[in-house]
Amino acid sequence: MKKISLLLFLLTSTTFFGQNSAETCEILNKINALIQKEHLRPKPVDDSLSVFVFDNLINDLDPSRNIFFKSEYDELAQKYRYNLDDLILKNDCSFLSEIKAKYIDGLIRTKKVLEKIQTLPIDYNKKDTIRFYKKSFAFYLKKEDVEKVWVKKLRYQILDDIAETSDDLDSIKANFKTIEQASKNKIISNEICRFTTLLERNSKQEEKLYNFFCTYFDPHTAYFSDDSKTSFVASLSKEHLSLGMTVNLNEKNEIIIDEVDPNGPAYQTGQIKKGDQIISISNQKETLQVSCASLESISTMILSENNKHITLTLKRNSGKSFDVYIEKQMMKDEDNSVFSFIIGKDNKIGYIKIPSFYADLDGNSRKGCADDVAREVIKLQRDNIKGLVIDLIDNGGGSMEEAIKLAGMFVDYGPLSIVIDNKKEKSVINDPFRGVIYRGPIVVLVNSNTASASEFFSSIMQDYNRALLLGSNTLGKATMQTILPLDEEKNTDFLKITINKFYRITGKSHQYFGVKPDVVLPEFYEDIYQKESDFPTAIKNDSIEPFLKYKTYVKRNLIDKIAKNSSERLAGNYFFNNIKKINLKIDQIVNTPKSEIPMTLDAVFTQKKTLNALWTEINTFNDENNPLDVYNSSINQFLLGASNEKEINQYQMDNLKTNPYLNEAVNIINEFNGMSK
């Protein structure tokens, strides 16, 4: 009977994997057909693609090189590293089943090793060292070394966790045995739980394969399932389904409820309070244990528009856990909405923050970013502002249509950009509006995370001399994407595909390099932010012959003079010079190759202390300038309603009062106004 059952299982498994293989290849070939037809710069499916996809897939499965044996990797690499292209084109995607099978074997045996280590004492006196690698490294794991490798990894993790328990090393040493027992149990239990979760949720490898295939062509082409497409589209709106709460990490690295919106469904349950610890999350189909699930999977479950019904298992003050059922509601995203303030009493300057270029994708209302900015400009002008600061810091882009509309509101008339498609055909994007909504001086704030539609808008303002750009170099994305279905009839699989590249009215492009501000200022982490040029498949920069005529707002030499004065004014600035010094320390920690450190409590404690000191230095570092006078426009003061809105409003104002970038933007506008008199 057992033999018959086993045979039946093998037959059905083979059929199942065969069906999966055929479906995987069908989707990959549909992706390829659409890319070859519509992509801006399609590339052949060849050995180069095969190596890229294979390496990324394996690196994603085993980034730390402690799951696959070297022999297993070598076998897979020999069979598939240069052959995936041929197999995909032949509709044979069984390679993924084999890679997954070896991966599952690795997960199972690693879990067994962890369970064994959990029962054994760890020798912390044994002389050993550990080295950290920033980039992926060669596979090295041998069967006989698995336990030794994991003991070493866990030993470091436990020592690192112990080092967090106190700032007093002597106290830690005095209580080492008790602290070690608790840390060891927590660290290993979480690792075992993580491997259990990986075994249970090993169904997304197909989607990862599709995406690695897509990103070979460029970093922004991506596969979307119906669920991921819905979530992506929702992210471009200022209203979406929400639980009405935010989460954060506490000092114990537990995920807790950080804020509860009084207008949201979480508050309306009457059971959820700020500070509650989240133990697990369920979408009625599957449950994630927070302590061992990845942050990616947790955030996906919370944010997915398809997960309308969520059950949270919470714990309050170390008491008993309890379940709360929540049904998401459509809510305004305060973090994704335009807001404005006025700076100064004598020379009033307007400030508008644009977190993203969100859009009204249904087209049923005027809820897009451009219309919202227009409303704020009108409010600010009622208070007779003498200049305007548009803040695009950390604005990752969004709707190009909104960026075009917004640029048209500040440029009188003329061309905005040149667009080139995969047939090398040029088309000109013209200002959709005659006239401007505001005529005064403008400063645009940008940084490394200013990307895509934000860069598009910034470059237009710069080329028309309509605004002075202040901040750090932007990301460097000058391509446009659209979402297309892989199959018009099924409508279940989609491709976000790069179809156009846009050029500035000067014929130049900021693709790959980013937009360089008129006044360049340092920002924290600028050497570790990922830029477009860091992606190996990013489309390279080029330019075209300029052929457009346009009239600038002011002469370029005026912008250059004000920019030069600003740079000279800030040359000895305490805040910005210290950012440069702190960035050097960050660079030493993050980008400089690490030397080995001894696997001792003393060494790990010293390392942790250095990192914590740097983190404290960054978080407590403030500008020494006199605080700015920031307040609401007359209309916004009148409209300010609920208490939670007042709290958010006050928080936003407090953050701006000591913002050195805004302070310099105010100086620049005042100088411009002084020159104009």
Side-chain angles (χ1 to χ4, degrees), residues 393-520:
I393 287 174
D394 294 334
N395 182 324
S399 166
M400 284 297 298
E401 185 180 345
E402 291 297 318
I404 291 165
K405 284 170 66 178
L406 190 64
M409 291 177 184
F410 292 104
V411 171
D412 197 355
Y413 64 91
L416 300 180
S417 179
I418 306 153
V419 177
I420 293 185
D421 61 17
N422 61 356
K423 297 179 181 66
K424 309 276 193 231
E425 291 182 0
K426 300 184 183 76
S427 56
V428 177
I429 298 174
N430 285 300
D431 181 353
F433 310 115
R434 186 84 187 198
V436 294
I437 195 170
Y438 175 73
R439 293 192 174 277
I442 299 173
V443 171
V444 176
L445 303 179
V446 296
N447 74 338
S448 297
N449 290 327
T450 302
S452 194
S454 299
E455 295 177 280
F456 176 85
F457 172 79
S458 302
S459 65
I460 293 165
M461 298 290 276
Q462 189 177 52
D463 288 339
Y464 269 95
N465 298 341
R466 184 64 190 90
L468 182 146
L469 270 57
L470 181 148
S472 47
N473 225 65
T474 65
L475 182 119
K477 178 180 178 290
T479 57
M480 285 189 273
Q481 289 72 39
T482 191
I483 299 175
L484 300 172
L486 292 183
D487 191 321
E488 295 284 355
E489 294 177 6
K490 287 185 179 178
N491 233 30
T492 54
D493 303 279
F494 302 86
L495 195 64
K496 178 167 71 77
I497 181 171
T498 299
I499 55 167
N500 291 321
K501 183 177 179 184
F502 53 86
Y503 293 79
R504 298 167 70 147
I505 51 176
T506 59
K508 295 178 180 178
S509 170
H510 58 261
Q511 170 61 25
Y512 202 76
F513 295 127
V515 177
K516 184 181 178 182
D518 303 297
V519 177
V520 178

Side-chain angles (χ1 to χ4, degrees), residues 360-372:
D360 171 26
L361 297 172
D362 296 326
N364 298 322
S365 62
R366 299 176 69 83
K367 293 180 180 177
C369 158
D371 285 324
D372 284 353

Side-chain angles (χ1 to χ4, degrees), residues 146-356:
V146 176
E147 189 174 324
K148 182 174 75 175
V149 165
W150 270 99
V151 166
K152 182 173 182 175
K153 176 181 168 70
L154 292 167
R155 177 179 163 183
Y156 174 79
Q157 286 182 237
I158 294 164
L159 288 172
D160 189 59
D161 188 63
I162 290 169
E164 282 282 11
T165 59
S166 174
D167 292 330
D168 186 342
L169 183 58
D170 291 333
S171 174
I172 293 174
K173 287 180 176 179
N175 298 285
F176 183 82
K177 192 173 180 181
T178 307
I179 301 170
E180 187 272 342
Q181 190 62 44
S183 286
K184 181 189 172 192
N185 185 54
K186 180 180 76 174
I187 297 294
I188 300 181
S189 293
N190 283 349
E191 284 286 3
I192 291 170
C193 188
R194 185 171 68 86
F195 275 82
T196 302
T197 304
L198 287 171
L199 283 163
E200 289 171 354
R201 291 175 57 83
N202 190 40
S203 57
K204 290 202 171 181
Q205 301 312 325
E206 283 79 9
E207 283 195 29
K208 288 184 176 179
L209 173 64
Y210 304 151
N211 272 309
F212 293 139
F213 186 96
C214 290
T215 51
Y216 171 72
F217 295 91
D218 82 285
H220 309 291
T221 294
Y223 165 82
F224 281 164
S225 63
D226 188 36
D227 189 9
S228 52
K229 179 206 169 216
T230 304
S231 297
F232 176 78
V233 171
S235 72
L236 298 178
S237 172
K238 71 171 179 181
E239 289 187 343
H240 52 79
L241 284 170
S242 171
L243 297 174
M245 64 180 208
T246 60
V247 298
N248 211 336
L249 289 174
N250 64 11
E251 65 279 358
K252 299 177 185 175
N253 278 331
E254 298 164 340
I255 296 183
I256 59 164
I257 307 292
D258 191 42
E259 296 291 343
V260 182
D261 189 329
N263 300 312
Y267 180 85
Q268 289 161 13
T269 65
Q271 297 175 270
I272 298 174
K273 292 185 178 180
K274 182 176 179 176
D276 287 350
Q277 181 190 351
I278 302 176
I279 306 299
S280 68
I281 305 169
S282 171
N283 63 357
Q284 319 313 314
K285 295 175 186 174
E286 60 177 331
T287 299
L288 290 178
Q289 298 299 322
V290 169
S291 62
C292 53
S294 69
L295 286 173
E296 179 190 9
S297 58
I298 293 166
S299 61
T300 298
M301 187 172 285
I302 290 176
L303 298 174
S304 172
E305 291 276 308
N306 286 354
N307 292 331
K308 294 180 182 177
H309 308 277
I310 293 287
T311 298
L312 296 176
T313 301
L314 303 171
K315 186 183 280 190
R316 185 172 301 150
N317 301 328
S318 301
K320 287 184 179 179
S321 59
F322 57 98
D323 292 343
V324 182
Y325 172 81
I326 315 175
E327 187 172 332
K328 289 181 180 177
Q329 294 175 10
M330 192 64 71
M331 295 186 68
K332 179 182 176 182
D333 184 352
E334 296 293 348
D335 292 332
N336 201 26
S337 302
V338 165
F339 62 85
S340 71
F341 292 107
I342 293 177
I343 317 295
K345 294 290 185 184
D346 298 325
N347 297 308
K348 296 177 182 176
I349 292 168
Y351 167 89
I352 296 179
K353 174 68 178 179
I354 308 176
S356 76

Side-chain angles (χ1 to χ4, degrees), residues 38 42 75 87 103 133 189 275 315 331 346 352 359 370 395 484 489 568 607 639 645 652:
E38 302 287 350
E75 182 187 342
L87 292 167
Y103 177 60
Y133 295 88
S189 293
K315 186 183 280 190
M331 295 186 68
D346 298 325
I352 296 179
N395 182 324
L484 300 172
E489 294 177 6
E568 289 175 354
Q607 182 193 56
L639 294 173
E645 287 182 2
Q652 291 167 340

Side-chain angles (χ1 to χ4, degrees), residues 487-622:
D487 191 321
E488 295 284 355
E489 294 177 6
K490 287 185 179 178
N491 233 30
T492 54
D493 303 279
F494 302 86
L495 195 64
K496 178 167 71 77
I497 181 171
T498 299
I499 55 167
N500 291 321
K501 183 177 179 184
F502 53 86
Y503 293 79
R504 298 167 70 147
I505 51 176
T506 59
K508 295 178 180 178
S509 170
H510 58 261
Q511 170 61 25
Y512 202 76
F513 295 127
V515 177
K516 184 181 178 182
D518 303 297
V519 177
V520 178
L521 295 176
E523 64 175 322
F524 284 127
Y525 311 113
E526 65 185 4
D527 294 325
I528 60 173
Y529 277 134
Q530 192 169 41
K531 297 290 191 76
E532 185 81 359
S533 56
D534 294 323
F535 293 105
T537 59
I539 292 169
K540 298 297 187 286
N541 183 273
D542 63 356
S543 58
I544 58 175
E545 283 294 319
F547 61 91
L548 295 174
K549 292 183 178 179
Y550 56 95
K551 184 180 179 182
T552 57
Y553 181 72
V554 296
K555 298 292 184 185
R556 186 68 217 174
N557 59 7
L558 176 60
I559 299 281
D560 290 341
K561 183 179 181 181
I562 293 173
K564 182 173 180 287
N565 291 345
S566 173
S567 297
E568 289 175 354
R569 184 163 53 241
L570 297 174
N573 183 276
Y574 163 83
F575 182 87
F576 294 114
N577 286 337
N578 273 278
I579 285 182
K580 292 175 185 176
K581 291 175 185 176
I582 293 171
N583 277 340
L584 287 173
K585 295 179 185 178
I586 294 171
D587 187 61
Q588 283 291 317
I589 290 170
V590 177
N591 292 326
T592 308
K594 305 286 186 301
S595 56
E596 290 182 315
I597 69 161
M599 290 271 279
T600 64
L601 178 60
D602 291 67
V604 175
F605 183 86
T606 301
Q607 182 193 56
K608 177 71 74 176
K609 200 170 180 181
T610 303
L611 285 169
N612 286 346
L614 179 58
W615 185 242
T616 302
E617 189 175 2
I618 292 167
N619 282 320
T620 57
F621 186 66
N622 290 313

